[in-house]
Amino acid sequence: MPASPSSALDLSALPAPDTLAAQDFEAILGDAIADLQARWPQLDTPVDSDPAVKMLQVVAWRELLTRHAIDDAARSTMLAYARGGNLDQIGALLGVSRRMLSAATPTEPAVMESDDELRARIQLAPEALPHAGVTGGFSLARALAIAPTLKDVAAINRDGGRVDIILLGRDGDGDVPAATVADVAAAFAEDDAVQLTDIVSVRGASIVPYDADIRLTIARGPDPALVKHEAERAVRAYALRRHAIGRIVYAQQLAAVASVGGVEHASCTLADIAPGDAGAASLRSLTITVDGA
């Protein structure tokens, strides 16, 4: 049975937090006018041209901006919404820091781990604490500490106490060099890595390349070249998200994401790509054909 590092809660599916009351300008202005009328009964029929109302409009707008700022500050303390330095601070509570993917050069700045990748590791950090057995979060944390060039790690529990640690690289199709596999295997051979009864093996994911051929029908008006460019960008983004261990690439979804503005119909002849629990699907080539309606 696979223990995937993606088994944690989907933070994007959580409802938005109720940090403040409804942020509506007209409601704030109405409350301000009612408050002023209670204090100054002579203001019985306020109109927009009244200087007092103009002042209250300014106050209401500034209050709305303040509420937005407070709301943003509150959300920045939550794992699902924090970004940049705020996310780094949340990670520090669990001993998780942002990884450097490539060092700075005289001409280029250092390439650091993205917010989404750091957020996923923070969410799984509790699984890397002292535990019994190898979990997805534990394997991810330990493997990435050894090899920051890895994109995904999965722990698959087999019968008889066997555990397969599957690695997927960040570059190219995800193939992992033998040296990286050896380094991670050595890390899992240490006494504190697994239970004595576990038999751990480490290997790279089986890469399943696929070629996508998508045909678009567009209405008259939109520039076909622009539509094709946007569709290709959307498809490649979806393929990149699905480039992970055990994730299926759905042909129907490829056509759906290619249905950008101006597209009336999109079709994909490719069958679903199911790489298996130890494999990863990698987009090898993409062909998009645009037809007029």
Side-chain angles (χ1 to χ4, degrees), residues 246-260:
R247 289 190 183 177
I248 299 175
V249 175
Y250 295 101
Q252 183 179 12
Q253 193 64 24
L254 285 171
V257 298
S259 300
V260 296

Side-chain angles (χ1 to χ4, degrees), residues 18-28 31 63-64 67-68 71:
D18 297 326
T19 51
L20 284 177
Q23 300 180 13
D24 179 79
F25 171 75
E26 295 297 335
I28 296 173
D31 289 342
E63 181 175 337
L64 179 64
R67 289 191 183 189
H68 276 301
D71 190 60

Side-chain angles (χ1 to χ4, degrees), residues 114-197:
S114 69
D115 283 343
D116 289 339
E117 291 174 315
L118 176 58
R119 191 187 330 277
R121 292 199 300 117
I122 294 173
Q123 188 178 5
L124 293 169
E127 293 188 34
L129 299 174
H131 65 287
V134 178
T135 65
F138 172 78
S139 60
L140 178 67
R142 196 171 189 90
L144 291 182
I146 299 299
T149 56
L150 294 176
K151 178 181 181 181
D152 194 18
V153 181
I156 304 175
N157 297 318
R158 309 293 191 187
D159 294 334
R162 294 185 299 113
V163 181
D164 293 342
I165 305 298
I166 311 299
L167 311 178
L168 181 66
R170 180 181 301 277
D171 299 327
D173 62 1
D175 189 44
V176 180
T180 301
V181 174
D183 290 341
V184 175
F188 279 92
E190 297 175 2
D191 292 339
D192 65 339
V194 297
Q195 298 182 100
L196 294 177
T197 55

Side-chain angles (χ1 to χ4, degrees), residues 56-91:
L56 290 180
Q57 289 175 343
V58 172
V59 171
W61 179 250
R62 293 179 66 87
E63 181 175 337
L64 179 64
L65 296 179
T66 300
R67 289 191 183 189
H68 276 301
I70 295 174
D71 190 60
D72 290 342
R75 295 188 184 208
S76 70
T77 65
M78 305 174 190
L79 181 59
Y81 297 93
R83 292 197 171 276
N86 293 322
L87 186 60
D88 290 326
Q89 292 294 330
I90 295 176

